[in-house]
Amino acid sequence: MNSFKQRTLDFLEIEWATYIERFNRLPTAEGLKRVNEQGYEQFRDMLAHILTWWEEGMGIILAIAEEREYERKKYDFAVFNAEAVAKYKSWDESEFLARFEQTRLKAITDLKSMNEAAWENRRVRNWVIGIFIGHAREHLVALSRFLLLDLLQNEWATYVVDFNGLDDEKKKEFISKQGFGNFHDLLAHIIGWWEEAVRIIDGILYEPGFTWQDPPTDAFNLELTGKYSAWSNADLLSHYENTRMAMIALVEKTPDDAFLNPNIEGWLSADIVQHYDGHAV
């Protein structure tokens, strides 16, 4: 099976299948706080937003795959998102949740049977990434092992290759926007925060009475670039890969209930998910 197709199905069958359940495990006040931080009054409104984009995107994806005409729109996202919330506002709670689940299952069925050649279509790929893969990170409310491993084994795995694929001008522009002098310093920054996450999470899990202080961000970042400044690029790239594998091992061995620990969840979310979105090529 096409690896991109399998990855998409995994998001629908694993990440999105447990999305509501994971949110419902959060303390009520914490869950509402996270939803409010994303600009929604309640979790249901965010689900309505996600659901409506699934419906919109799947209609276009299938039209492309079946070589049918479809309306090409220029979206006003604020308007579309407001309409999405309003569309389901009056629905009974159980009927709305059933609709969400039915749409998820139908998307799985339709994507499994979709013409294999369609998976190589740029517009299809962009819609899939937007509504199923990227949306899971954008609307992360309760962290999952799946999402962490997916990022570490995909976007973080190709991070250096993705940067090297840019032309020289775009490399300079990217590094400048990131606030670093060069790509070497950016990798040192990423590696150092990963190493700190491993140290702290291992301490929480395996050392009774373990205590720590979150490092002051600016000073720690300067310390990291200095720490690795004398390393050759080859050695740093090798260390990046070794540290990425250490992060995978950490996520794989972390017990299920540890994801409910706000300190562990916070470090994993910040260093793997948020950090990628902050430094995406």
Side-chain angles (χ1 to χ4, degrees):
M1 182 184 290
N2 178 296
S3 60
F4 181 64
K5 175 180 179 179
Q6 185 61 63
R7 186 185 183 197
T8 304
L9 293 173
D10 286 346
F11 264 88
L12 280 160
E13 293 175 332
I14 303 172
E15 180 67 13
W16 288 114
T18 62
Y19 186 72
I20 296 173
E21 175 191 344
R22 284 183 281 115
F23 175 80
N24 287 336
R25 289 203 299 261
L26 294 171
T28 302
E30 178 62 21
L32 183 60
K33 174 176 173 286
R34 296 183 186 192
V35 168
N36 292 162
E37 287 172 349
Q38 296 201 25
Y40 295 91
E41 290 184 9
Q42 56 184 346
F43 184 52
R44 175 177 164 142
D45 291 344
M46 190 158 71
L47 289 179
H49 161 86
I50 293 165
L51 171 58
T52 305
W53 277 111
W54 285 358
E55 293 170 331
E56 182 79 3
M58 281 302 298
I60 294 170
I61 289 167
L62 293 177
I64 295 171
E66 296 163 8
E67 299 183 341
R68 291 186 281 107
E69 289 296 321
Y70 63 94
E71 183 183 358
R72 302 198 178 208
K73 304 176 184 178
K74 185 174 183 180
Y75 293 95
D76 182 321
F77 293 108
V79 171
F80 185 91
N81 293 337
E83 290 176 347
V85 172
K87 176 181 177 180
Y88 288 107
K89 203 75 172 178
S90 64
W91 279 49
D92 173 79
E93 182 77 6
S94 60
E95 290 179 354
F96 171 71
L97 293 176
R99 172 72 172 220
F100 186 90
E101 181 64 3
Q102 289 161 5
T103 304
R104 182 184 71 84
L105 294 173
K106 187 175 187 304
I108 293 169
T109 300
D110 289 343
L111 291 172
K112 282 183 176 179
S113 61
M114 190 169 73
N115 184 334
E116 292 294 325
W119 289 96
E120 302 304 322
N121 181 282
R122 179 180 58 82
R123 186 166 275 110
V124 167
R125 293 176 73 90
N126 286 342
W127 270 101
V128 164
I129 291 169
I131 64 176
F132 297 129
I133 298 175
H135 239 183
R137 295 203 308 271
E138 181 182 350
H139 296 301
L140 172 62
V141 287
L143 194 61
S144 72
R145 190 191 315 275
F146 170 84
L147 186 63
L148 295 171
L149 291 175
D150 177 82
L151 263 170
L152 287 166
Q153 294 168 343
N154 288 280
E155 280 81 0
W156 283 121
T158 63
Y159 191 71
V160 175
V161 172
D162 292 343
F163 174 79
N164 288 334
L166 301 175
D167 62 38
D168 289 345
E169 192 60 37
K170 287 185 177 178
K171 285 178 180 176
K172 290 178 183 176
E173 181 182 343
F174 172 74
I175 292 300
S176 176
K177 286 182 177 178
Q178 293 296 313
F180 290 88
N182 51 60
F183 190 58
H184 187 107
D185 288 349
L186 174 55
L187 283 186
H189 163 83
I190 292 166
I191 291 167
W193 281 103
W194 283 354
E195 290 174 327
E196 185 71 356
V198 171
R199 182 185 76 82
I200 290 174
I201 292 171
D202 274 348
I204 295 171
L205 288 174
Y206 306 116
E207 298 177 28
F210 176 79
T211 60
W212 77 96
Q213 288 187 332
D214 292 342
T217 302
D218 291 342
F220 190 61
N221 288 338
L222 284 173
E223 178 185 327
L224 294 176
T225 54
K227 175 181 177 180
Y228 291 108
S229 61
W231 285 46
S232 70
N233 285 334
D235 286 344
L236 190 69
L237 291 175
S238 177
H239 190 49
Y240 171 87
E241 185 60 14
N242 289 338
T243 310
R244 183 179 71 85
M245 297 306 294
M247 290 296 283
I248 290 174
L250 173 68
V251 172
E252 289 179 333
K253 75 179 182 181
T254 298
D256 290 342
D257 59 358
F259 283 87
L260 299 175
N261 181 308
N263 290 312
I264 292 175
E265 185 197 32
W267 272 95
L268 290 173
S269 179
D271 278 12
I272 298 175
V273 183
Q274 296 168 33
H275 223 186
Y276 178 77
D277 289 333
H279 297 303
V281 176

